Short mmCIF file of all heavy atoms in Angstrom, two decimals:
data_model
loop_
_atom_site.label_atom_id
_atom_site.label_comp_id
_atom_site.label_asym_id
_atom_site.label_seq_id
_atom_site.Cartn_x
_atom_site.Cartn_y
_atom_site.Cartn_z
N SER H 1 15.96 -8.56 4.81
CA SER H 1 15.87 -9.76 3.95
C SER H 1 14.59 -9.79 3.09
O SER H 1 14.50 -10.54 2.15
CB SER H 1 15.87 -11.03 4.82
OG SER H 1 14.66 -11.09 5.63
N ARG H 2 13.65 -8.88 3.39
CA ARG H 2 12.37 -8.82 2.59
C ARG H 2 12.06 -7.39 2.21
O ARG H 2 10.87 -7.02 2.09
CB ARG H 2 11.20 -9.39 3.46
CG ARG H 2 11.41 -10.73 4.09
CD ARG H 2 11.36 -11.88 3.10
NE ARG H 2 11.12 -13.15 3.77
CZ ARG H 2 11.97 -13.76 4.53
NH1 ARG H 2 13.17 -13.25 4.81
NH2 ARG H 2 11.69 -14.95 5.08
N ARG H 3 13.05 -6.58 2.04
CA ARG H 3 12.83 -5.15 1.85
C ARG H 3 11.91 -4.80 0.66
O ARG H 3 11.04 -3.92 0.79
CB ARG H 3 14.14 -4.40 1.72
CG ARG H 3 13.97 -2.87 1.64
CD ARG H 3 15.29 -2.17 1.83
NE ARG H 3 15.85 -2.38 3.15
CZ ARG H 3 15.48 -1.72 4.21
NH1 ARG H 3 14.52 -0.76 4.13
NH2 ARG H 3 16.03 -1.92 5.40
N ALA H 4 12.09 -5.49 -0.44
CA ALA H 4 11.29 -5.15 -1.63
C ALA H 4 9.81 -5.37 -1.33
O ALA H 4 8.99 -4.50 -1.64
CB ALA H 4 11.74 -6.02 -2.81
N TRP H 5 9.42 -6.49 -0.75
CA TRP H 5 8.03 -6.76 -0.44
C TRP H 5 7.57 -5.81 0.67
O TRP H 5 6.49 -5.24 0.56
CB TRP H 5 7.84 -8.19 0.06
CG TRP H 5 6.46 -8.46 0.58
CD1 TRP H 5 5.35 -8.70 -0.10
CD2 TRP H 5 6.07 -8.35 1.98
NE1 TRP H 5 4.27 -8.85 0.73
CE2 TRP H 5 4.67 -8.64 2.04
CE3 TRP H 5 6.72 -8.15 3.17
CZ2 TRP H 5 3.97 -8.66 3.22
CZ3 TRP H 5 6.07 -8.17 4.38
CH2 TRP H 5 4.66 -8.41 4.39
N TRP H 6 8.42 -5.57 1.67
CA TRP H 6 8.04 -4.76 2.80
C TRP H 6 7.72 -3.33 2.37
O TRP H 6 6.73 -2.75 2.75
CB TRP H 6 9.17 -4.79 3.83
CG TRP H 6 8.85 -4.13 5.14
CD1 TRP H 6 8.12 -4.69 6.19
CD2 TRP H 6 9.22 -2.82 5.55
NE1 TRP H 6 8.08 -3.79 7.23
CE2 TRP H 6 8.73 -2.65 6.87
CE3 TRP H 6 10.03 -1.81 4.99
CZ2 TRP H 6 8.96 -1.47 7.59
CZ3 TRP H 6 10.25 -0.65 5.67
CH2 TRP H 6 9.70 -0.46 6.98
N GLU H 7 8.55 -2.76 1.53
CA GLU H 7 8.38 -1.38 1.05
C GLU H 7 7.27 -1.29 0.00
O GLU H 7 6.73 -0.21 -0.18
CB GLU H 7 9.67 -0.83 0.53
CG GLU H 7 10.70 -0.58 1.56
CD GLU H 7 11.94 0.19 1.02
OE1 GLU H 7 11.96 0.45 -0.17
OE2 GLU H 7 12.82 0.52 1.84
N SER H 8 6.96 -2.41 -0.64
CA SER H 8 5.88 -2.38 -1.66
C SER H 8 4.54 -2.09 -1.08
O SER H 8 3.59 -1.72 -1.78
CB SER H 8 5.86 -3.72 -2.42
OG SER H 8 5.36 -4.75 -1.56
N LEU H 9 4.35 -2.27 0.24
CA LEU H 9 3.06 -2.03 0.88
C LEU H 9 2.88 -0.56 1.26
O LEU H 9 1.81 -0.16 1.66
CB LEU H 9 2.98 -2.85 2.18
CG LEU H 9 3.08 -4.38 1.98
CD1 LEU H 9 3.05 -5.10 3.32
CD2 LEU H 9 1.93 -4.88 1.09
N LEU H 10 3.92 0.28 1.05
CA LEU H 10 3.81 1.71 1.33
C LEU H 10 3.17 2.42 0.17
O LEU H 10 3.45 2.12 -0.98
CB LEU H 10 5.18 2.29 1.62
CG LEU H 10 5.88 1.77 2.87
CD1 LEU H 10 7.33 2.31 2.88
CD2 LEU H 10 5.16 2.19 4.12
N PRO H 11 2.29 3.38 0.40
CA PRO H 11 1.66 4.12 -0.69
C PRO H 11 2.64 5.12 -1.30
O PRO H 11 3.68 5.42 -0.74
CB PRO H 11 0.49 4.85 0.03
CG PRO H 11 0.98 5.02 1.42
CD PRO H 11 1.81 3.81 1.73
N GLU H 12 2.30 5.57 -2.48
CA GLU H 12 3.14 6.57 -3.11
C GLU H 12 3.07 7.89 -2.31
O GLU H 12 2.00 8.35 -1.90
CB GLU H 12 2.60 6.82 -4.55
CG GLU H 12 2.79 5.63 -5.50
CD GLU H 12 4.26 5.32 -5.74
OE1 GLU H 12 5.06 6.28 -5.69
OE2 GLU H 12 4.55 4.14 -6.01
N ALA H 13 4.24 8.51 -2.17
CA ALA H 13 4.30 9.77 -1.38
C ALA H 13 5.58 10.48 -1.72
O ALA H 13 6.48 9.94 -2.36
CB ALA H 13 4.21 9.44 0.11
N SER H 14 5.61 11.71 -1.29
CA SER H 14 6.86 12.52 -1.47
C SER H 14 7.97 11.95 -0.60
O SER H 14 7.71 11.11 0.30
CB SER H 14 6.61 13.97 -1.11
OG SER H 14 6.28 14.08 0.28
N GLU H 15 9.17 12.39 -0.87
CA GLU H 15 10.34 11.81 -0.16
C GLU H 15 10.24 12.10 1.34
O GLU H 15 10.53 11.24 2.14
CB GLU H 15 11.63 12.42 -0.70
CG GLU H 15 12.90 11.80 -0.08
CD GLU H 15 14.15 12.33 -0.77
OE1 GLU H 15 14.05 12.97 -1.82
OE2 GLU H 15 15.23 12.12 -0.20
N SER H 16 9.82 13.28 1.74
CA SER H 16 9.71 13.61 3.16
C SER H 16 8.59 12.78 3.83
O SER H 16 8.74 12.29 4.97
CB SER H 16 9.44 15.09 3.34
OG SER H 16 8.22 15.49 2.69
N GLN H 17 7.47 12.64 3.12
CA GLN H 17 6.35 11.87 3.70
C GLN H 17 6.72 10.38 3.74
O GLN H 17 6.33 9.66 4.68
CB GLN H 17 5.09 12.05 2.84
CG GLN H 17 4.49 13.44 2.94
CD GLN H 17 3.28 13.62 2.04
OE1 GLN H 17 3.24 13.00 0.96
NE2 GLN H 17 2.32 14.40 2.47
N ARG H 18 7.46 9.91 2.78
CA ARG H 18 7.81 8.50 2.68
C ARG H 18 8.70 8.10 3.88
O ARG H 18 8.54 7.01 4.43
CB ARG H 18 8.52 8.18 1.35
CG ARG H 18 8.82 6.70 1.17
CD ARG H 18 9.39 6.42 -0.20
NE ARG H 18 9.71 5.00 -0.35
CZ ARG H 18 8.85 4.06 -0.63
NH1 ARG H 18 7.55 4.38 -0.80
NH2 ARG H 18 9.23 2.80 -0.82
N ALA H 19 9.56 9.01 4.30
CA ALA H 19 10.43 8.69 5.45
C ALA H 19 9.60 8.50 6.72
O ALA H 19 9.87 7.58 7.48
CB ALA H 19 11.42 9.86 5.66
N LYS H 20 8.55 9.32 6.90
CA LYS H 20 7.67 9.16 8.04
C LYS H 20 6.90 7.82 7.95
O LYS H 20 6.70 7.12 8.92
CB LYS H 20 6.73 10.31 8.15
CG LYS H 20 7.41 11.63 8.45
CD LYS H 20 6.40 12.77 8.56
CE LYS H 20 7.10 14.08 8.87
NZ LYS H 20 6.12 15.21 8.96
N MET H 21 6.43 7.52 6.72
CA MET H 21 5.68 6.27 6.54
C MET H 21 6.53 5.03 6.80
O MET H 21 6.10 4.07 7.40
CB MET H 21 5.13 6.21 5.09
CG MET H 21 4.05 7.22 4.80
SD MET H 21 3.46 7.12 3.10
CE MET H 21 2.20 8.39 3.11
N ILE H 22 7.79 5.09 6.40
CA ILE H 22 8.68 3.97 6.63
C ILE H 22 8.87 3.75 8.13
O ILE H 22 8.86 2.61 8.64
CB ILE H 22 10.03 4.20 5.92
CG1 ILE H 22 9.89 4.04 4.43
CG2 ILE H 22 11.12 3.24 6.47
CD1 ILE H 22 11.16 4.28 3.62
N GLU H 23 9.07 4.86 8.86
CA GLU H 23 9.26 4.73 10.32
C GLU H 23 8.02 4.20 10.99
O GLU H 23 8.09 3.34 11.87
CB GLU H 23 9.61 6.13 10.88
CG GLU H 23 9.98 6.07 12.36
CD GLU H 23 11.15 5.14 12.66
OE1 GLU H 23 12.05 5.03 11.80
OE2 GLU H 23 11.17 4.50 13.73
N ALA H 24 6.84 4.66 10.55
CA ALA H 24 5.56 4.17 11.14
C ALA H 24 5.38 2.70 10.79
O ALA H 24 4.93 1.93 11.69
CB ALA H 24 4.40 4.99 10.60
N TRP H 25 5.68 2.28 9.57
CA TRP H 25 5.53 0.88 9.15
C TRP H 25 6.51 0.02 9.91
O TRP H 25 6.24 -1.12 10.26
CB TRP H 25 5.73 0.80 7.65
CG TRP H 25 5.60 -0.54 6.99
CD1 TRP H 25 6.23 -0.88 5.86
CD2 TRP H 25 4.83 -1.66 7.35
NE1 TRP H 25 5.91 -2.15 5.47
CE2 TRP H 25 5.05 -2.67 6.37
CE3 TRP H 25 3.94 -1.94 8.42
CZ2 TRP H 25 4.44 -3.92 6.44
CZ3 TRP H 25 3.33 -3.21 8.45
CH2 TRP H 25 3.59 -4.18 7.47
N ARG H 26 7.70 0.55 10.20
CA ARG H 26 8.70 -0.23 11.00
C ARG H 26 8.19 -0.45 12.40
O ARG H 26 8.28 -1.55 12.97
CB ARG H 26 10.02 0.55 11.01
CG ARG H 26 11.17 -0.22 11.70
CD ARG H 26 12.40 0.65 11.79
NE ARG H 26 12.76 1.21 10.54
CZ ARG H 26 13.52 0.63 9.63
NH1 ARG H 26 13.99 -0.62 9.87
NH2 ARG H 26 13.80 1.19 8.49
N SER H 27 7.58 0.58 12.98
CA SER H 27 7.02 0.44 14.35
C SER H 27 5.89 -0.55 14.37
O SER H 27 5.75 -1.35 15.31
CB SER H 27 6.54 1.81 14.86
OG SER H 27 7.59 2.73 15.00
#
């Protein structure tokens, strides 16, 4: 329900790195 804001806090990264960052941010 808040994906745009939630993902906006992630730094710029490659696609492979971004997947790891998303999982860490989810945890």
Side-chain angles (χ1 to χ4, degrees):
S1 66
R2 309 287 199 289
R3 183 167 296 278
W5 171 82
W6 188 79
E7 291 189 355
S8 70
L9 299 176
L10 295 172
E12 294 293 334
S14 64
E15 185 174 346
S16 60
Q17 292 177 327
R18 185 173 178 81
K20 294 180 180 179
M21 290 179 180
I22 287 178
E23 186 57 34
W25 181 208
R26 187 186 306 275
S27 297

